Each structure stands twice: as structure tokens, then as C-alpha cells.
Amino acid sequence: MPHYQQPLDVTTLSSWEALRQHREVMQSFRMREAFQNDPQRFDEFSLSSSGLFLDYSKNLLTQETRSLLMRLAREAGLERAIHALFEGEAVNASEGRPALHTALRRPIGDRLVVDGENLIPQVHRVLNQMTELVGRIHDGLWRGYSEKPITDVVNIGIGGSFLGPQLVSEALLPFAQHGVRCHYLANIDGSEFHELTARLNAETTLFIVSSKSFGTLETLKNAQAARTWYLAQGGTESELHRHFIAVSSNIAAAVAFGIRQENIFPMWDWVGGRYSLWSAIGLPTALAIGMANFKDLLSGAYAMDCHFRREPFENNMPVLLAMLGVWYGNFWGAQSHAILPYDHYLRNITQHLQQLDMESNGKSVRQNGSPVSCETGPVIWGGVGCNGQHAYHQLLHQGTLLIPADFIVPVVSHNPVADHHQWLYANCLSQSQALMLGKTREEAEAELRARGMSEEQVQRLAPHKVIPGNRPSNTLVMERVSPHRLGALVALYEHKVFAQSIIWGINAFDQWGVELGKELGKNVYQRLTGHDESPAEDASTQGLIGYFRGRHRG
Ligand code: F6P
């Protein structure tokens, strides 16, 4: 397998220096004026692809900014890196493997040969295996230990084995089929387990243990608890195979847990956890929405893949979003990025993108192990609009931080209620407009005077009413949320994150940072439970262990 060669430190590139100088010039740039001076600005800075429309005109950019950013992308070797990603080169250098989530959405008949093997037939074999299972469950042919059909499916998994499938099954609820209810059990918190199982009937419940590694503590503990619960409810060991299946790349561990080999859906080490919703990890999604809709989801992602691969950077949605993020993070000091979906069904997208972005680009060494010389991934946060408007948007409008935001909104609602959707859409647009326009001192004063206030009152209140404006945002619009458009949307962000990782020279596909917490967790557990009486490494942890043990003594 060819090894992907990392280019030079990005901060040494001539385009980096050109952007640094351009940033100085842009200090006085005002979006308000840019819109007034250029009636074509919206057309100039917007584009469509794969069922998505992106308006990025409300950004601190000119045509020159865009061409400098695209020059940076080219000098940083992004074209070559995209080729490496899709062709299965070892873009994940620390683990010596490719990242081939894009292979999961390639149509049958395509060829992708890695290490002498065409991967596409394997992918479609698993899709067929999924189709068969989904069909048997939907048709009532897969039955529980008392011969009743399955009514509830519980996905036991965490991180990428939870957030992606949960996003998709909830976002596509209007496409739900056959009345199979999907539930997610992720955390090790017993309360989550208790609240969920209290609503379930063991006779008609199927558990999917979703774990790429089959070694994740939370998942294995929950799987054990589910098995104990199933047996306590009247299930038997001999019928366990009717109630427990698995998705994993660690077949041996799943078999050791007691899952029948034929009930294990394979995945591959070349699919990263946070990129796995397209694989058999998407099984709960497929059970919720049916295989035809699941395949539409894949086709949407595939459409975005083709766009990312082929479009020139100036017209390439993931590249544009990525480079705007680089612009703000590396040249304007932005440290976070808000994701604001104006759609109830998309309310979980922020959490999914948080893992996708922060676990991928939360790195401070480059692929070759040298320290980065610039900021890397931002904090991703946000939540569903309009709720955020009555909570944290205040900081977006008047806080001291620059926080770029992505607004995501469908034009058509699945559930029109009176004029609610018009109001929802209006709110979304007016937020990005308010961020961009702001309110000047003169406007604030004029407004107060028009309300008949005394000059003394006007001067006292005006500073509080000033809104700086000139705050950047992107708006992504789609028709109605559909499997195809959702697939394109998620793939758009996957590629954005990848493109940024290439600019920064980091590995988007490993996550060594989470390992230390896991290791220390085991040590703390030993001390909490008295299996290790040696003191903890620090007094704070030791004190808190003592607090716990004091409460649980005897
Ligand atoms: O701990 C982080 C992580 O490794 C994520 O990257 C991953 O999505 C999650 O744990 C779950 O991993 P697995 O699917 O192997 O249980």
C-alpha cells in the first residue's frame, strides 16, 4: 500500500504569508458595505451540489481572499491528498492504514484495489447481509425466544458506534418503516440502562452490540448488563442468538461474548469509528428506515464524494468550508465554530459533527510527529434553532469572541403546522443577517430617539444596543430533509474535516488522546473497589477516591 507523503509545514508556504498580509488589509472589511457595493455578491459566493445549496457570502472574504485560500489549499497538497484518500493510500500514518469510508458508498461494479484486493464486492456483500436481516425483521420472520416478532432494536455502542447511527435514524424519522423502534444505549451510567430497559419487553427486543474494536468498556459493560437482563426476563442461553447480534471488526471477541458467527456483521479496520455510519454500524438506521432509504443515504454521500473529488477548489463545497475554517482559525483567532441546524430532525447533527471534527482534528503533532506550528481544530458546539436564539446566541451577537457559524435549514418541512415553517426559516435567515449587519451606534441612537426617549436615556442605553455585526456565517439550505440530502450533508463535513487536516498536516484518522483516560480509568477503578490499596498518583484523585470509598464502606 503506497504511503501518503506529507507536504511541508503549511506556515512556511508563500500563500500562508500572503494570507497573513491579506488579513491585515481585511481588518477594515465590512460585509455590510461589500453587499451594498456588489449586487452580485450572493451569486459570486454561493453554489449547489448533491441537493445542498451553500451561501457563503456572509463571510469576511473577497475574491482575493478566496483565491489566496485556494492557493494555500493547492500549495499544501490538497489535490494529491484527496487522490490518496480515495485511492486507499495510508493517510492514517500512525496506524499505517487507509481511511476508506468513501468505499462504503461506492456503487457495485466500481473497483478499488488496495493491497491487491478489490474492496467494493466485500462492501456490497455486507450490504446484502444487512438487506437480508432487515427484511427478516421487517417481515416478522426473525422471532424472539417466545416466537414473537421483533418490535424494538437497541443499539449498544458509543462514540462513532452511536452518534452517527443515532443522527441518521432520528433525522430520517419521517422515513421510518415497519414500526420497529430504535433505541440507543451508549453511556455506562446505570440510570440510562434502567430507564431504557424499563420500557422494553425482552421477548421482542433485539440488541445490536456495535463496536468496531469489541473492546470498549462502556459497550461491553452494557452488553453484559443487557444479557443479564434478558436472562432475568425469561430468555435462555440457548435462544440468546435470537436477541444478540454484533457489528465489529473483531469477530473473535464477538464470538467469545456469545454471539453466533453468522450474526456478526463485519467491518474493516480501514473504516474509522466516527466515519462508520455508512457501514454495518448503520444497521439500526437501516432497520429504522429500510434498506432502500439507507442506500439513498449512501448515494447522497457518494454524490458529495464525486463533487469533492472532481470539482475545482473554487467551486468545491467541502474545500470552501474547510478553507473558510482555516481563514478564521489561523488568521482571525477564532477558536470555536457553531453548528446551528434549524430543523427538529437534524437536532443531533451538532453532536455528530462535534465528534467528527474534534476527534479528527484535535491534534497538535503533524503526521511525521513534529509539533504543529499553527492552531488546528476548533471547538465545535451549537444546537437546534430557534432554541439557541433564546440562550447562547447573545454571545454570538455581542460577545467578545469571533465565532463563525453554519446555519443548516430545509426549505420544506415534513410537518407543516400553520405558518411555523415560515417563521422557522425567517428566524434562521434573520440570525445570520443580524450577525452580519449588526447595529451601529447611530442606528441604536436613532431607534431610541424614535421611541421618544430623552437624550440622557438615549446616551445611557445606546452602548448596550450596539451590535458589532460583521460576524461570519455560512448557510446551507436543502429542500426537505431526505436520506440522499442527509448523506450529502454528512459527507460534506467529513471532507471539510479531512481537507483541514491536510492543511495542518495532521492525521484526521487516529485518536490517541482518548487512550490515556481509558488507561487511568482502569487504575482508578482498582482503587475505588479496593483491589489496589496504593495511593493514587495525585492528592486530588486520592481525595476523591476516599470520598467515594467512605460512602460505600461496609
Ligand atoms: O474512545 C473513542 C473511540 O475510540 C471512538 O473513536 C470510537 O468511535 C468509539 O471509541 C467507539 O469505539 P468502538 O466502536 O471500537 O467501540
Side-chain angles (χ1 to χ4, degrees):
M1 178 192 316
H3 272 258
Y4 167 67
Q5 292 296 315
Q6 174 184 275
L8 289 171
D9 174 355
V10 68
T11 62
T12 63
L13 301 175
S14 70
S15 49
W16 186 275
E17 176 54 23
L19 275 161
R20 206 190 52 71
Q21 289 176 20
H22 179 65
R23 162 69 181 86
E24 303 299 317
V25 177
M26 289 296 284
Q27 186 62 31
S28 56
F29 176 81
R30 292 287 169 270
M31 276 188 254
R32 251 189 198 227
E33 289 160 23
F35 275 104
Q36 277 159 10
N37 297 339
D38 179 7
Q40 304 305 316
R41 186 171 171 86
F42 172 72
D43 295 332
E44 179 65 39
F45 297 114
S46 58
L47 74 155
S48 309
S49 172
S50 319
L52 305 178
F53 178 80
L54 169 66
D55 168 23
Y56 65 103
S57 60
K58 293 194 189 88
N59 274 293
L60 299 168
L61 99 161
T62 61
Q63 290 184 8
E64 187 187 354
T65 321
R66 183 174 57 193
S67 42
L68 284 173
L69 287 169
M70 299 309 135
R71 198 178 113 199
L72 176 64
R74 290 195 174 93
E75 279 184 21
L78 183 56
E79 279 158 337
R80 168 78 191 90
I82 293 173
H83 176 83
L85 175 76
F86 281 89
E87 290 305 313
E89 293 183 30
V91 289
N92 177 353
S94 75
E95 297 176 304
R97 60 191 184 209
L100 277 171
H101 42 286
T102 55
L104 300 169
R105 39 234 197 183
R106 282 171 72 157
I108 195 153
D110 254 23
R111 271 177 73 74
L112 175 62
V113 179
V114 176
D115 286 341
E117 197 178 353
N118 182 8
L119 301 184
I120 307 304
Q122 296 181 31
V123 167
H124 283 267
R125 260 200 301 280
V126 177
L127 279 171
N128 291 342
Q129 200 186 341
M130 289 169 70
T131 307
E132 201 200 314
L133 177 88
V134 170
R136 286 180 64 201
I137 290 180
H138 284 174
D139 296 345
L141 299 173
W142 181 294
R143 297 195 168 224
Y145 64 84
S146 61
E147 295 300 334
K148 291 186 183 150
I150 298 299
T151 56
D152 292 85
V153 172
V154 179
N155 185 76
I156 303 180
I158 198 164
S161 301
F162 158 53
L163 293 166
Q166 186 209 32
L167 160 68
V168 178
S169 41
E170 293 194 4
L172 299 179
L173 207 59
F175 299 84
Q177 296 192 351
H178 301 281
V180 176
R181 290 178 292 265
C182 265
H183 312 270
Y184 290 87
L185 180 59
N187 203 344
I188 202 165
D189 189 332
S191 300
E192 189 174 327
F193 182 85
H194 170 79
E195 292 296 338
L196 174 61
T197 49
R199 291 185 276 135
L200 296 174
N201 176 357
E203 291 173 89
T204 55
T205 298
L206 175 72
F207 292 96
I208 307 178
V209 188
S210 288
S211 177
K212 179 181 169 184
S213 60
F214 220 88
T216 303
L217 177 82
E218 294 87 341
T219 302
L220 294 186
K221 284 280 165 194
N222 276 327
Q224 287 295 357
R227 179 196 188 128
T228 306
W229 174 83
Y230 154 83
L231 292 172
Q233 299 288 309
T236 60
E237 283 286 355
S238 61
E239 302 298 338
L240 194 93
H241 63 277
R242 298 190 189 207
H243 294 270
F244 283 83
I245 64 174
V247 182
S248 186
S249 62
N250 188 349
I251 310 284
V255 169
F257 178 86
I259 295 177
R260 280 195 182 170
Q261 182 111 24
E262 68 267 25
N263 290 341
I264 301 170
F265 291 73
M267 58 185 294
W268 305 272
D269 68 354
W270 41 260
V271 182
R274 52 196 174 274
Y275 299 86
S276 64
L277 71 90
W278 323 99
S279 72
I281 290 287
L283 202 46
T285 308
L287 281 163
I289 62 174
M291 264 329 264
N293 285 319
F294 188 77
K295 286 181 181 171
D296 273 356
L297 177 85
L298 298 180
S299 76
Y302 178 68
M304 185 54 73
D305 294 341
C306 296
H307 169 86
F308 182 50
R309 250 184 128 163
R310 295 187 192 134
E311 279 301 318
F313 287 173
E314 287 73 9
N315 204 35
N316 190 312
M317 226 183 250
V319 175
L320 287 163
L321 287 187
M323 297 315 292
L324 283 165
V326 167
W327 179 225
Y328 295 121
N330 296 122
F331 298 92
W332 291 79
Q335 296 191 339
S336 83
H337 187 105
I339 303 284
L340 308 171
Y342 274 65
D343 184 84
H344 176 72
Y345 292 120
L346 291 178
R347 65 194 179 283
N348 288 320
I349 198 165
T350 308
Q351 273 178 295
H352 175 66
L353 298 185
Q354 195 173 54
Q355 187 204 11
L356 173 68
D357 201 319
M358 294 174 77
E359 201 168 47
S360 297
N361 284 345
K363 313 283 164 65
S364 42
V365 293
R366 302 169 68 233
Q367 288 261 24
N368 63 7
S370 61
V372 292
S373 42
C374 61
E375 304 296 328
T376 59
V379 174
I380 302 294
W381 65 282
V384 74
C386 303
N387 299 7
Q389 287 172 218
H390 301 276
Y392 43 75
H393 281 220
Q394 166 61 31
L395 188 143
L396 295 179
H397 292 294
Q398 283 189 311
T400 52
L401 303 172
L402 175 77
I403 304 179
D406 290 357
F407 291 88
I408 305 172
V409 63
V411 181
V412 181
S413 169
H414 276 287
N415 303 292
V417 173
D419 57 357
H420 288 208
H421 195 67
Q422 285 86 334
W423 276 113
L424 185 72
Y425 195 82
N427 267 292
C428 176
L429 266 52
S430 60
Q431 284 300 302
S432 65
Q433 189 181 38
L435 286 169
M436 184 269 285
L437 287 179
K439 190 182 282 179
T440 63
R441 175 84 187 211
E442 294 70 41
E443 287 167 344
E445 287 185 6
E447 217 175 81
L448 295 170
R449 281 189 198 105
R451 282 205 234 147
M453 288 187 186
S454 71
E455 199 50 31
E456 189 267 323
Q457 282 174 314
V458 167
Q459 293 309 321
R460 189 169 53 79
L461 279 179
H464 302 280
K465 298 268 185 176
V466 171
I467 298 175
N470 218 29
R471 302 212 160 166
S473 67
N474 300 303
T475 303
L476 274 160
V477 183
M478 67 187 90
E479 210 230 320
R480 205 191 298 263
V481 176
S482 70
H484 187 90
R485 294 182 197 110
L486 180 67
L489 181 66
V490 175
L492 165 65
Y493 280 96
E494 288 179 350
H495 296 321
K496 171 199 167 177
V497 165
F498 172 71
Q500 291 185 330
S501 76
I502 296 306
I503 303 301
W504 296 320
I506 57 179
N507 182 353
F509 302 110
D510 60 8
Q511 60 282 321
W512 299 104
V514 298
E515 295 305 321
L516 177 61
K518 290 185 193 172
E519 282 160 29
L520 295 182
K522 285 182 202 148
N523 300 344
V524 172
Y525 176 85
Q526 294 299 322
R527 291 184 171 112
L528 277 185
T529 51
H531 289 95
D532 180 354
E533 294 293 353
S534 68
E537 290 74 8
D538 65 279
S540 165
T541 308
Q542 183 57 34
L544 295 167
I545 289 173
Y547 194 87
F548 186 92
R549 288 187 66 170
R551 174 64 186 78
H552 289 275
R553 194 163 286 136

